[in-house]
Amino acid sequence: VHGSYEELLADDDVEAVYVPLPNSLHVPWTVEALEAGKHVLCEKPLTRRAAEAERAFDAAERAGRLLMEAFMWRYHPQTEALVRLAGEIAPLRVVRAAFGFTLPDDPANVRWQGGLEGGSLMDVGCYCVSALRLLAGEPRRVSGEAVAGGDGVDRRFSGVLRFDGDVLGLFDCGFDVPARGAIEVVGEGGTLVASDPWHGVSPRLTRDGEEVPVEAANPYGRELQDFSAAIRETRAPRLGRADAVGQARAIEALHAAAASGRSVRLA
């Protein structure tokens, strides 16, 4: 036990740290930890700004340390099966994702605080953006609509992303909806539905209504195993700079689109 973050980072016996702080503190403390010689697993989303993501990974490269954004859902066997089957039903036409729940309207909750970069897009919508990008690549254009709440954050957010090949990605997220979460992938060769994609507590994946067997697993454990192995083996983890920067760029564009009422072109 240490009395401060500074004391922890000064401990030579600590090889790696996990940063689960409010969103606005992710990059500052990630960079502090990297500069102190620690490997960093940073809770999602690393940031809402592409330039900050680049800055964090630049710090990792200078320090010769590993940085990874903690999207644990990417490590579930259900996600791996979803990606494999999406290739089988390609070319893709539409990908839909949803993630929401009811969050008590408590101003002390960091998710409601604009100064800490809260909001539904940052908290749960980032999973949806991660899924659309995983399945369809990097978006070329995005548009977004936000419903305000809390201290200047979005209580509900919906977005449309256009990808190469005329693939359309749609998502919605929110803090004022019943608990919900799903991914639907529509391709020329069929339709896939994952009804518990984010935590995978009760994974269920179907292809054209027929259930696809999915192994039960703890995605948090698998994420940590990959992170640890990447450190020990001096290799890149599954999630690196390109994915984190692409994620931040998409979130940044979605916020800008919602604020301006206009679509934002990324490429």
Side-chain angles (χ1 to χ4, degrees):
V1 176
H2 293 284
S4 69
Y5 296 157
E6 290 83 0
E7 288 181 19
L8 184 147
L9 295 181
D11 186 339
D12 291 336
D13 289 333
V14 175
E15 296 178 79
V17 297
Y18 166 57
V19 178
L21 299 170
N23 296 326
S24 64
L25 301 177
H26 284 178
V27 169
W29 279 104
T30 289
V31 172
E32 287 272 356
L34 290 166
E35 291 179 345
K38 314 304 181 188
H39 303 282
V40 177
L41 177 65
C42 183
E43 186 52 49
K44 60 76 202 166
L46 174 62
T47 173
R48 59 182 284 175
R49 299 173 186 86
E52 286 193 354
E54 295 278 18
R55 181 165 73 90
F57 278 91
D58 286 346
E61 288 190 4
R62 287 195 302 270
R65 292 296 181 265
L66 186 152
L67 168 59
M68 189 172 98
E69 186 175 24
F71 270 112
M72 53 74 192
W73 83 279
R74 295 280 295 271
Y75 286 88
H76 201 290
Q78 178 177 232
T79 306
E80 296 165 353
L82 188 66
V83 172
R84 174 177 55 81
L85 293 173
E88 294 181 9
I89 66 169
L92 301 186
R93 302 298 190 223
V94 177
V95 183
R96 297 185 179 90
F99 197 179
F101 65 102
T102 301
L103 179 67
D105 198 0
D106 176 6
N109 191 312
V110 297
R111 293 176 174 87
W112 288 120
Q113 297 182 30
L116 295 177
E117 298 185 352
S120 63
L121 175 57
M122 290 290 280
D123 190 58
V124 287
C126 63
Y127 284 92
C128 301
V129 175
S130 174
L132 300 183
R133 293 179 49 256
L134 174 64
L135 293 160
E138 297 300 340
R140 300 306 178 190
R141 188 171 69 244
V142 307
S143 59
E145 291 288 342
V147 177
D151 180 25
V153 301
D154 54 280
R155 69 168 56 242
R156 205 177 322 131
F157 198 106
S158 181
V160 178
L161 293 75
R162 188 176 187 121
F163 300 88
D164 284 345
D166 293 329
V167 180
L168 297 179
L170 305 93
F171 77 92
D172 69 87
C173 58
F175 289 156
D176 58 357
V177 296
R180 59 196 299 271
I183 299 173
E184 180 185 33
V185 186
V186 182
E188 184 179 80
T191 300
L192 310 171
V193 176
S195 56
D196 180 21
W198 313 123
H199 296 102
V201 175
S202 302
R204 185 169 187 268
L205 179 61
T206 63
R207 177 174 181 174
D208 299 326
E210 296 293 326
E211 190 156 352
V212 177
V214 175
E215 173 191 354
N218 180 346
Y220 294 98
R222 288 166 62 102
E223 174 185 64
L224 287 171
Q225 287 169 0
D226 181 50
F227 182 63
S228 178
I231 293 170
R232 292 285 180 251
E233 299 165 13
T234 318
R235 63 165 175 81
R238 180 176 299 186
L239 301 176
R241 177 193 282 260
D243 191 76
V245 172
Q247 180 75 9
R249 184 176 292 118
I251 292 174
E252 185 172 18
L254 284 162
H255 276 297
S260 68
R262 299 177 180 178
S263 64
V264 173
R265 183 173 293 278
L266 286 86

